Amino acid sequence: MILNEAFLKTKIGTGVYKYSVLENKKFEVNKKYDLFISHSYMDKELVEVLYKIFEESGYEVYIDWKEENLQNRENVSADTARILKNRINSCSGLSFIATGNVVNSKWCPWELGYADGKKNRAAILPILKEQSSQYKGMEYLGMYPYIDYNTANNGKYEFWVNDVNDKNKYSTLREWLSTGELKDHKNN
């Protein structure tokens, strides 16, 4: 299933996922994170819920405003780029949160390109307006695998990374973060 705004907003309504309930953390230099979440700050509430879902599923996730106070997001500078490179390098992969707001971000496309070139583990995590089981990335986003989810038997969410051009090629997010490869399930 592709994540959608209604699903995430329902989670916000429970109160468990509200920003005020979740603590801010401090970036740990020697810590290895699973995912760098590249997103528009205008999607902060949705990303907060996503952070909690990833955390409950056993992932260590880096989100800049949760871990540290970076400079003004509108300020494109070499210092901010250096910090972001360091943080992306501390993560196994990057998840680019694709919403309507991301087109206004000065940093998200840069983060996606840097992570793809450095790690070859960059994927799109679409948050659609409506519920859907399909995603087709527009323009350059269509070149990257995308992340969807399902609910496992234990009630936790399991994330999957999928090839945009071949529905038979996919892996769990954990496998993909480890190997960088999508398994071909055509003959399974």
Side-chain angles (χ1 to χ4, degrees):
M1 220 29 177
I2 306 292
L3 284 169
N4 65 73
E5 287 183 15
F7 170 79
L8 295 174
K9 286 180 179 177
T10 299
K11 296 283 189 188
I12 293 169
T14 66
V16 175
Y17 295 91
K18 283 196 179 238
Y19 177 73
S20 60
V21 174
L22 300 176
E23 77 288 352
N24 282 334
K25 298 182 176 186
K26 183 148 177 58
F27 177 75
E28 298 174 38
V29 176
N30 296 320
K31 182 176 179 178
K32 195 71 172 145
Y33 292 83
D34 295 311
L35 277 176
F36 181 101
I37 301 294
S38 177
H39 67 288
S40 166
Y41 192 71
M42 292 187 289
D43 293 318
K44 184 176 180 177
E45 274 192 334
L46 299 176
V47 170
E48 185 74 30
V49 174
L50 191 56
Y51 173 87
K52 186 68 174 166
I53 291 171
F54 274 124
E55 187 178 66
E56 288 174 351
S57 299
Y59 292 95
E60 291 288 340
V61 178
Y62 175 85
I63 298 175
D64 58 0
W65 47 266
K66 288 198 68 56
E67 301 280 341
E68 58 197 310
N69 187 15
L70 286 181
Q71 300 86 349
N72 180 348
R73 285 169 177 71
E74 298 301 313
N75 181 23
V76 177
S77 71
D79 188 46
T80 302
R82 181 188 51 76
I83 292 169
L84 289 172
K85 283 178 183 179
N86 182 323
R87 300 316 183 246
I88 290 169
N89 291 340
S90 297
C91 299
S92 296
L94 177 137
S95 177
F96 179 95
I97 308 303
T99 67
N101 291 324
V102 81
V103 298
N104 298 315
S105 172
K106 292 182 178 181
W107 285 108
C108 290
W110 182 88
E111 293 165 348
L112 178 64
Y114 178 79
D116 183 34
K118 185 76 174 175
K119 301 199 167 272
N120 198 28
R121 285 183 185 82
I124 308 304
L125 198 161
I127 299 177
L128 304 177
K129 293 271 185 204
E130 309 274 328
Q131 186 173 350
S132 177
S133 60
Q134 296 182 343
Y135 170 74
K136 185 71 174 164
M138 295 175 57
E139 297 175 357
Y140 66 92
L141 298 182
M143 300 181 335
Y144 294 94
Y146 69 94
I147 299 173
D148 66 1
Y149 77 101
N150 66 16
T151 307
N153 292 336
N154 62 5
K156 292 191 177 189
Y157 297 101
E158 182 59 62
F159 293 91
W160 297 86
V161 181
N162 307 275
D163 187 297
V164 291
N165 297 312
D166 185 348
K167 67 180 181 179
N168 295 309
K169 289 179 98 172
Y170 55 90
S171 293
T172 67
L173 179 56
R174 285 193 202 294
E175 292 169 334
W176 180 76
L177 287 171
S178 175
T179 67
E181 298 189 12
L182 300 176
K183 291 182 182 175
D184 192 342
H185 296 270
K186 186 177 273 183
N187 296 323
N188 293 352

